[in-house]
Amino acid sequence: MLWSFLLFLGAAPPLGVFANPLATKRWSDLVEKHSWAEIPRGWEYVRSPDPEHILEMRIGLKQNKINELISSLYQISDPKHDRYGKHLSKQEADALVAPHPDSAEAVESWLSDHGFKTDDITFRSGGGEWIVIPMTVSQAEAMLGAKYELYRHSLSSSYVVRTLSYSLPRELHNHINMVSPTTYFGTLRSMKATHFIQSNSFGEEKGFTLSPEAVPPSSCATQITPACLKVLYNTSGYVPQATDVNVLGIAGYLDEFANRADLQTFFTAFLPEAVGTSFDTITVNNGGDNQSDPGVEANLDIQYTEGMSFPTPNIYYSTGGSPPFNPDSETPTDTNEPYLDWLNFVLSQDTIPQTITTSYGDDEQTVPNDFAVSVCNLFAELGVRGTTVLFSSGDLGVGGGDCLTNDGTDTVLFQPDFPASCPFVTAVGGTVGINPEVAVDFSGGGFSRYFPTPDYQVEAVNSFLEGLGDTFSGLFNSSGRAYPDVAAQSENFIVIIGGEAFLVGGTSASSPTTAGVISLLNDFRLSNGQSSLGFINPLIYANPGGFNDIVSGSNPGCGTQGFSAGIGWDPVTGLGTPDFLKLQAIVSA
């Protein structure tokens, strides 16, 4: 969408040619948009940045009809509604998220007053609600009433140029959702990639074969392969048919590259019929594809999405945006918003994979509320267009570390994960063991403090809360969006990395596994002339019988034993692990 203000700005004189006193007064009435009480934990002040340091400023305008889009999402995702499965086209979704003309006019005037011209602006969304404008630190400070500093994340050695507070002209609070980079300190290098290497275990696994019994062999209790998962989740007998339409996507970050040679080694050992086939890589925002540098996360994801969904086409999105930052550089470009870049890229495409999995997350409290809501609404756009979005729920139970709040009060509270806490994604927790599966003790789960409990899960969550009683009273928001929604195996996954086999664990394993099952369900529907599933949460909460209920285990954290798994939904394993055959019967209606 091209705004009218392109012509307006194109005709504007350079900054300083003349000044409009009324316009200047209009934009000098600054009111705080967001601030932190203290430097976010894990970050330390380094020094003031060069005033000429370049920030790629992203401005998210309020979407004129976002409530209509969300209402459509719930109707389209409700199996009892007559709009069920009637997903919106790109053009229909773009029309709902486009900014109101008044918002466009206000931002036009503001940018013009600060001397920006047509060539300075890039549109990052089909609806025109996201724009990117490179500007210097000194320009950003003047526009936003902010003071930018250089900060370092001690554990990951990430550097960012951020401010502890920023403001907008009073009038623009009604027109702009967020501006970034400002107060969101998280970068993917400081976020939690939800995986960990358990051991190097190459050797015996290459000869691993699944016995013909209808239950997993005992070796699946200590070594997970695609064959184990197919038996556990009842997909063994299904052969995909809609491979000309159905696609499974993996969102990758952090210069994590999915290695094709390792995939062939994996296929040779565990899926011989797939040898010789591969996946597509799409690079976003200068993402790479270095085949000499295989990533643990990337290989885990692609080997198990391929292992579960073959021969369904897979796409690995390699998203840049977190380049090494040289704190001594005078004018490097700060581009640490890969979530926004990836989402805007995918939403700008005419076709999107029907299933997408991502395995990164951060403490919700470290994400400014305006940023979280804006990103969450982008996931709603994916859902309304027919895509199921899955996120791992995290590997820190109800919270890691001291669990102190960052609002200046240092209160101990359970710490939910974002984006798992977004109500428009399907969050996947973790299990371990077979016959029975139990909750793994690191499975992330809890209740959002940003998003309220959505209608689709009220009944299930209330039932859990009634059984919980006063336990952990005050430590979590009982009226918040609860997660995870479902779960899957999360330990002892055999992954080939650089030609060697490792055992890898984490809910990073659970999410691609579940994505593989959902992709097969999408294949089934598409091959029968039905639509893709899209946003599945209303469907699955209405049909909990499609899952294997996990009734034991807990997710300790914050100095507590955490929540306990039990009959029905719980904030450790959600509704349980998927049973493909039961779900197939449910989605065939």
Side-chain angles (χ1 to χ4, degrees):
M1 174 183 178
L2 295 178
W3 289 359
S4 62
F5 87 91
L6 289 180
L7 295 176
F8 181 89
L9 287 179
L15 183 65
V17 171
F18 63 81
N20 182 335
L22 292 179
T24 300
K25 183 177 181 181
R26 181 186 183 189
W27 304 128
S28 63
D29 182 17
L30 297 179
V31 177
E32 185 179 279
K33 178 69 170 171
H34 182 261
S35 67
W36 293 121
E38 57 190 24
I39 297 174
R41 285 185 179 81
W43 294 89
E44 59 188 15
Y45 168 81
V46 178
R47 60 170 171 77
S48 294
D50 188 310
E52 298 304 306
H53 173 87
I54 301 297
L55 301 169
E56 285 202 346
M57 198 64 70
R58 292 149 177 82
I59 301 176
L61 277 74
K62 289 190 181 295
Q63 300 143 312
N64 187 32
K65 299 180 180 178
I66 187 63
N67 291 334
E68 184 176 334
L69 181 137
I70 292 172
S71 177
S72 293
L73 174 66
Y74 280 123
Q75 292 173 2
I76 290 167
S77 307
D78 181 355
K80 296 180 180 179
H81 200 280
D82 58 9
R83 291 186 66 189
Y84 180 66
K86 297 177 182 177
H87 302 118
L88 302 189
S89 67
K90 177 183 182 299
Q91 292 71 27
E92 290 170 330
D94 285 348
L96 295 179
V97 298
H100 190 279
D102 290 349
S103 297
E105 186 281 328
V107 174
E108 290 174 17
S109 180
W110 182 50
L111 294 176
S112 178
D113 189 62
H114 285 276
F116 291 101
K117 303 178 179 64
T118 303
D119 292 343
D120 299 322
I121 299 167
T122 302
F123 290 88
R124 290 287 175 88
S125 63
E129 78 278 22
W130 285 96
I131 59 176
V132 176
I133 307 176
M135 64 179 66
T136 65
V137 165
S138 60
Q139 286 176 310
E141 289 181 337
M143 292 179 67
L144 303 173
K147 176 58 177 172
Y148 279 86
E149 306 286 6
L150 179 65
Y151 296 92
R152 177 181 178 272
H153 189 259
S154 57
L155 294 180
S156 65
S157 296
S158 291
Y159 287 88
V160 296
V161 175
R162 294 294 186 269
T163 177
L164 294 180
S165 68
Y166 79 102
S167 300
L168 289 173
R170 184 180 305 274
E171 178 181 333
L172 291 184
H173 282 252
N174 293 324
H175 300 295
I176 291 177
N177 282 329
M178 59 160 285
V179 179
S180 190
T182 51
T183 54
Y184 176 41
F185 277 65
T187 72
L188 285 170
R189 292 192 183 281
S190 63
M191 291 167 71
K192 300 182 288 290
T194 52
H195 74 264
F196 50 88
I197 292 179
Q198 296 175 267
S199 68
N200 181 321
S201 55
F202 190 75
E204 57 184 321
E205 295 79 17
K206 289 199 69 174
F208 181 94
T209 57
L210 183 65
S211 64
E213 290 98 356
V215 295
S218 58
S219 56
C220 289
T222 56
Q223 300 170 344
I224 292 293
T225 69
C228 295
L229 298 171
K230 289 178 180 181
V231 173
L232 277 170
Y233 303 138
N234 255 337
T235 70
S236 297
Y238 185 79
V239 179
Q241 301 295 316
T243 55
D244 58 332
V245 179
N246 194 35
V247 179
L248 200 167
I250 303 98
Y253 303 97
L254 287 179
D255 293 331
E256 278 270 346
F257 309 122
N259 188 271
R260 294 175 179 80
D262 284 343
L263 181 63
Q264 295 306 309
T265 302
F266 185 82
F267 281 160
T268 299
F270 305 118
L271 200 66
E273 63 270 31
V275 170
T277 63
S278 193
F279 57 93
D280 292 329
T281 295
I282 293 178
T283 59
V284 180
N285 192 29
N286 299 314
D289 187 21
N290 185 352
Q291 289 298 296
S292 66
D293 185 20
V296 177
E297 181 67 57
N299 275 8
L300 167 63
D301 286 342
I302 199 67
Q303 288 172 22
Y304 281 87
T305 56
E306 286 274 9
M308 293 297 290
S309 70
F310 176 81
T312 301
N314 280 214
I315 294 175
Y316 184 83
Y317 294 95
S318 178
T319 303
S322 287
F325 184 95
N326 180 354
D328 296 323
S329 297
E330 292 192 7
T331 56
T333 298
D334 192 294
T335 55
N336 282 314
E337 306 295 357
Y339 267 154
L340 292 178
D341 290 332
W342 179 80
L343 281 163
N344 281 319
F345 170 82
V346 170
L347 287 166
S348 72
Q349 307 304 301
D350 289 329
T351 59
I352 303 173
Q354 292 86 353
T355 313
I356 295 176
T357 177
T358 311
S359 297
Y360 295 91
D362 210 354
D363 286 349
E364 185 185 71
Q365 72 165 356
T366 68
V367 184
N369 185 277
D370 56 359
F371 187 99
V373 171
S374 296
V375 169
C376 191
N377 286 345
L378 291 172
F379 292 128
E381 284 188 62
L382 283 173
V384 84
R385 289 181 59 183
T387 296
T388 306
V389 183
L390 300 107
F391 269 87
S392 52
S393 70
D395 292 348
L396 296 175
V398 294
D402 57 22
C403 295
L404 294 176
T405 59
N406 61 358
D407 58 2
T409 65
D410 287 344
T411 304
V412 174
L413 294 177
F414 290 172
Q415 295 299 329
D417 252 36
F418 179 82
S421 63
C422 168
F424 307 130
V425 307
T426 302
V428 187
T431 62
V432 66
I434 58 172
N435 195 32
E437 291 184 85
V438 300
V440 73
D441 61 6
F442 55 73
S443 183
F447 297 77
S448 173
R449 291 201 291 275
Y450 285 174
F451 304 101
T453 310
D455 288 345
Y456 62 74
Q457 65 172 188
V458 165
E459 183 177 350
V461 172
N462 283 348
S463 178
F464 171 81
L465 292 174
E466 288 174 9
L468 185 67
D470 293 332
T471 305
F472 305 135
S473 178
L475 289 177
F476 68 97
N477 175 26
S478 60
S479 61
R481 185 282 204 259
Y483 75 98
D485 302 297
V486 297
Q489 287 280 313
S490 61
E491 279 199 338
N492 303 313
F493 278 58
I494 303 177
V495 180
I496 306 299
I497 308 165
E500 296 189 48
F502 292 79
L503 291 182
V504 178
T507 53
S508 275
S510 310
S511 188
T513 297
T514 304
V517 176
I518 300 301
S519 184
L520 296 182
L521 292 171
N522 275 324
D523 178 276
F524 173 73
R525 283 182 58 87
L526 292 168
S527 65
N528 284 284
Q530 298 172 293
S531 65
S532 60
L533 289 168
F535 178 48
I536 62 170
N537 291 11
L539 173 71
I540 62 177
Y541 278 91
N543 294 277
F547 296 85
N548 308 304
D549 196 9
I550 307 302
V551 297
S552 62
S554 63
N555 57 352
C558 303
T560 75
Q561 291 302 306
F563 296 113
S564 296
I567 296 173
W569 180 88
D570 56 69
V572 189
T573 59
L575 298 170
T577 60
D579 185 314
F580 175 77
L581 293 181
K582 292 179 180 177
L583 288 168
Q584 185 181 26
I586 290 168
V587 305
S588 64

